[in-house]
Amino acid sequence: MTVTRASVNEMMRAYKRTSLLRTAVELGVFDAVHEGAGTAAAVAERAGADPRGMRILLDALAAVGLLTADGERYALAEGAADVLVSSAPGYLGDMTRVVVSRFEWDSLGRLADAVRNGGTVEEQNAETPGFAYWETFAEFASAVTLPTAAVMGDLLEPWAAGHDPLSILDVACGHGLYGFTLARRFQQARVTGLDWDNVLPITEKHAVELGVHDRTGFIAGDMFEVDYQGPHDLVLVTNVLHHFDEQRCTELLTRAAQALRPGGRLGVVSFVRDGSPAEDPEPYLFSILMLSWTAAGEVHSQQAHHDMITAAGFTNIVQRQVPGLPFHVLVAERA
Ligand SMILES: C[S@@+](CC[C@H](N)C(=O)[O-])C[C@H]1O[C@@H](n2cnc3c(N)ncnc32)[C@H](O)[C@@H]1O
């Protein structure tokens, strides 16, 4: 990429587009337009907003290509109904509540302080027990979870299908969708979700919605301290390893190994650094959030993942990247 005045200017202003998208989702603009509100006054009425404010917002949304404008009438731009209308199966709007949440936005506004410090400067951060952001994450992060959970299920077949009983511990389960998706696929499975106690009511709600509540249990507390109540057949550690340095990750994975029956499986989901920043930018961009929010976390390399998993007592690592998403699924066997 050649750096030009235009490219730097675009980067400087990119946050305005982010803000527009978040605001439109928050005010229900795309749903309103989809359901026939075609003028600023009509959308404003539905959103409980000011008509002038709404006109300026809608024009800006048309300027960035999310709406079309024809005089005073607005419509969804091509493709918008598939990803920005809340009833669409491919709805992505909820993810703005996570990745453009106040938590992330405000913290990245102080990125320079985190760089100076070499780690978080936030009083409330990803390692704070009961961090409120994790409730938001558990509530709204399902859009990227379900395709990844499907890859996990594929990698665990046929081992899991032939394993009865199948006791699954989902460490730092958040929404719980990894364990619950597996429980729907493998009817003999029982899932225990472990997380902070402020998150678990949301986890439990998802267990009810997915119809697996009668095969679900919970452990509230610190994953580095609480009893894992094993032995289990499968331990999941998903989207957690980037919160810690390699030593702390190995400690966590060792706890997972100790909670497994011999021959049991570990299922990991992770961002994995596996190329230069230019070739594979996503993991490097994600690491800035971990710099802002953790003492020593960042996205680990492919080699580091394999080293940590092996050092914790696992073997036969199988790895797949999730199509279209920057996540890798790794399955390993307790040695
Ligand atoms: C990025 S989310 C991952 C959620 C889910 N596993 C997933 O893959 O989407 C991290 C989760 O770890 C939980 N968590 C962080 N530190 C924890 C700790 N020390 N003990 C228990 N849970 C923790 C958070 O509450 C949050 O739900």
Side-chain angles (χ1 to χ4, degrees):
M1 175 184 130
T2 306
V3 179
T4 62
R5 292 181 70 84
S7 68
V8 171
N9 260 316
E10 192 185 318
M11 231 177 250
M12 250 188 273
R13 297 190 169 101
Y15 79 96
K16 294 200 170 84
R17 292 167 186 261
T18 308
S19 173
L20 276 173
L21 177 61
R22 180 176 80 176
T23 303
V25 170
E26 186 179 325
L27 296 178
V29 166
F30 301 112
D31 283 356
V33 174
H34 180 67
E35 287 157 19
T39 63
V43 181
E45 191 180 337
R46 288 186 50 140
D50 175 76
R52 173 178 171 275
M54 188 56 75
R55 170 179 55 76
I56 293 172
L57 175 67
L58 297 185
D59 281 340
L61 289 166
V64 300
L66 293 174
L67 296 180
T68 60
D70 181 7
E72 291 184 0
R73 295 207 68 81
Y74 300 90
L76 295 181
E78 194 180 332
D82 298 336
V83 284
L84 292 172
V85 169
S86 63
S87 55
Y91 181 55
L92 263 181
D94 274 349
M95 280 306 288
T96 64
R97 300 177 196 275
V98 179
V99 295
V100 204
S101 61
R102 282 265 159 243
F103 298 100
E104 296 204 14
W105 183 277
D106 292 350
S107 169
L108 288 180
R110 293 186 280 274
L111 180 59
D113 291 336
V115 173
R116 286 186 193 102
N117 190 45
T120 187
V121 292
E122 302 292 338
E123 206 173 296
Q124 290 281 313
N125 59 63
E127 294 176 78
T128 307
F131 187 32
Y133 170 82
W134 295 128
E135 296 166 38
T136 306
F137 186 93
E139 192 78 62
F140 294 113
S142 62
V144 294
T145 304
L146 299 178
T148 311
V151 173
M152 175 76 81
D154 292 346
L155 278 184
L156 286 166
E157 287 254 25
W159 171 83
H163 224 81
D164 191 359
L166 180 64
S167 172
I168 303 175
L169 173 68
D170 191 350
V171 175
C173 62
H175 40 67
L177 297 178
Y178 283 106
F180 301 153
T181 306
L182 292 174
R184 279 170 68 97
R185 184 160 172 167
F186 306 114
Q187 290 293 318
Q188 78 282 22
R190 266 201 68 79
V191 181
T192 303
L194 184 165
D195 210 296
W196 297 118
D197 63 1
N198 62 315
V199 173
L200 288 178
I202 302 162
T203 321
E204 184 161 12
K205 186 183 75 175
H206 289 149
V208 172
E209 285 167 5
L210 289 173
V212 297
H213 189 252
D214 59 334
R215 292 186 281 130
T216 303
F218 301 96
I219 301 173
D222 185 345
M223 62 190 168
F224 288 97
E225 302 288 338
V226 289
D227 180 358
Y228 281 3
Q229 299 175 14
H232 300 283
D233 302 288
L234 168 65
V235 177
L236 303 176
V237 179
T238 63
N239 294 306
V240 171
L241 298 180
H242 45 250
H243 292 172
F244 309 106
D245 62 19
E246 289 179 35
Q247 189 185 343
R248 192 90 165 125
C249 289
T250 306
E251 192 186 322
L252 183 67
L253 294 170
T254 302
R255 295 203 89 212
Q258 287 166 349
L260 279 169
R261 291 195 175 90
R265 297 296 198 267
L266 169 74
V268 168
V269 173
S270 252
F271 282 98
V272 173
R273 223 168 2 92
D274 187 24
S276 71
E279 287 163 346
D280 188 17
E282 285 295 333
Y284 295 90
L285 291 174
F286 190 74
S287 281
I288 63 167
L289 185 64
M290 292 300 102
L291 176 65
S292 295
W293 264 5
T294 68
E298 65 182 293
V299 175
H300 298 290
S301 69
Q302 162 99 357
Q303 185 63 48
H305 276 87
H306 285 240
D307 289 348
M308 295 184 295
I309 291 171
T310 305
F314 294 95
T315 183
N316 293 335
I317 302 170
V318 181
Q319 182 172 346
R320 295 264 186 293
Q321 175 150 17
V322 182
L325 287 171
F327 301 115
H328 291 243
V329 178
L330 299 99
V331 168
E333 185 178 339
R334 192 189 136 179

